[in-house]
Amino acid sequence: MSLDSPPTDISASTQALPEAGTLEVGAYVTVIDDLNLLSNQFGAEFFLWTRWLGTSADNPSDRLAVLNAPSNNDIDRFQLLDQKQLGDVQWRLYKVRCRVSIPWRLQAYPFDRHKLLIRLGMDNPLMANVAYVADKMGSAVDPEFLMYDWSISPLRIDVSGLSLRSRFGLPDAHSLAVSVRPVIDLAIPIQRRSQLTLVSSFLGDFLAIGLCILALVIRESRDDLILGAVFAAAGTSVFLAQMLPVSALAGFAGQFQVIIYVGIVYVVIADELLDRVFSAASERIISRMRPWLLPSYVIGTVSAIYLITPTNI
């Protein structure tokens, strides 16, 4: 896309004119980065254009802001790149870089999917309502942009409303009336490539399962294998706690951890029963118990993991 030579054929003959007093908004997203699960934020960079049929003094384009982006000096900014008068229409092109707040829903991690929402509107919440129109045909995500851990769906741009429950100290400040503020929503659905994340995030747990199976297969020197399984599972727990908020551990990730630890306890109990409690018992009882230990562990672990796996993967 050439910023020095923007398309000059946008006119009333090729594109419908916006209604007088209506701001038409479109976006072309080029970068999504810095997905921070702990701070509930992600970064975005995109080109934003507006079309306004009206006087230049009334054009509200320069008052646009990302409403769900925490202010951070120069980070949340609209940089005016170009502007043209196309007949009666004022066209402006901005480059926007921002960090956006989003409530991540991680109960299904690493099978999670999200809707990255960028909400655009007037920077002054008390400014007279502006009527918006979304340029659906021209808006998109750059097809050359890749997120290696995520699958990206097409950009959806729509006009919606944001409820305000305050009068900000003006008369009728104690009124409970709710006012609706029109906004433009840029929504980018993404879905994690769960196979990659499942192996990398829970590698220690899979190692713990393997060590538990070995401990049930061999007849001697099982203590080192069980201890290794404990350390492998603990390492995964520490890794997840540093990367995910505590609320995420109430979902698949936390339940998976519980299954691993319960399996380790099962192997420890089996080891103690075979080596100590039944050490003086008849060989017949031991020989009957031993063949069932490994199948019961494997079947129980696999069944439990299957039951907690999200159904929407």
Side-chain angles (χ1 to χ4, degrees), residues 146-178:
L146 297 175
M147 296 176 68
Y148 292 104
D149 295 336
W150 300 87
S151 299
I152 309 177
S153 298
L155 171 71
R156 293 189 295 213
I157 179 170
D158 293 290
V159 179
S160 66
L162 178 65
S163 298
L164 294 178
R165 299 178 179 273
S166 174
R167 291 285 297 167
F168 305 101
L170 290 176
D172 298 328
H174 299 290
S175 172
L176 298 179
V178 177

Side-chain angles (χ1 to χ4, degrees), residues 93-231:
L93 179 67
Y94 302 84
K95 187 174 184 179
V96 184
R97 174 67 188 177
C98 60
R99 289 194 60 80
V100 183
S101 295
I102 179 175
W104 299 108
R105 303 183 186 279
L106 297 166
Q107 288 76 11
Y109 177 91
F111 306 101
D112 47 325
R113 58 185 66 186
H114 307 278
K115 183 174 70 173
L116 303 182
L117 181 64
I118 302 173
R119 180 156 280 181
L120 303 168
M122 294 294 108
D123 54 3
N124 182 358
L126 297 178
M127 185 175 177
N129 285 344
V130 176
Y132 296 107
V133 173
D135 184 358
K136 296 179 180 290
M137 295 297 295
S139 301
V141 176
D142 187 347
E144 296 185 0
F145 173 67
L146 297 175
M147 296 176 68
Y148 292 104
D149 295 336
W150 300 87
S151 299
I152 309 177
S153 298
L155 171 71
R156 293 189 295 213
I157 179 170
D158 293 290
V159 179
S160 66
L162 178 65
S163 298
L164 294 178
R165 299 178 179 273
S166 174
R167 291 285 297 167
F168 305 101
L170 290 176
D172 298 328
H174 299 290
S175 172
L176 298 179
V178 177
S179 60
V180 179
R181 177 184 181 186
V183 295
I184 289 282
D185 285 340
L186 309 180
I188 307 174
I190 61 174
Q191 182 173 358
R192 193 185 299 273
R193 302 183 193 273
S194 53
Q195 296 85 351
L196 302 176
T197 308
L198 179 65
V199 174
S200 60
S201 298
F202 297 91
L203 184 60
D205 287 336
F206 291 122
L207 176 60
I209 293 175
L211 292 174
C212 286
I213 291 175
L214 286 177
L216 293 174
V217 169
I218 67 174
R219 293 178 176 271
E220 297 178 355
S221 303
R222 293 186 291 264
D223 293 344
D224 291 342
L225 294 173
I226 295 174
L227 185 61
V230 172
F231 278 107

Side-chain angles (χ1 to χ4, degrees), residues 236-257:
T236 299
S237 298
V238 172
F239 171 77
L240 293 176
Q242 293 175 342
M243 184 178 61
L244 301 176
V246 176
S247 59
L249 300 180
F252 175 86
Q255 295 170 3
F256 192 89
Q257 293 290 102

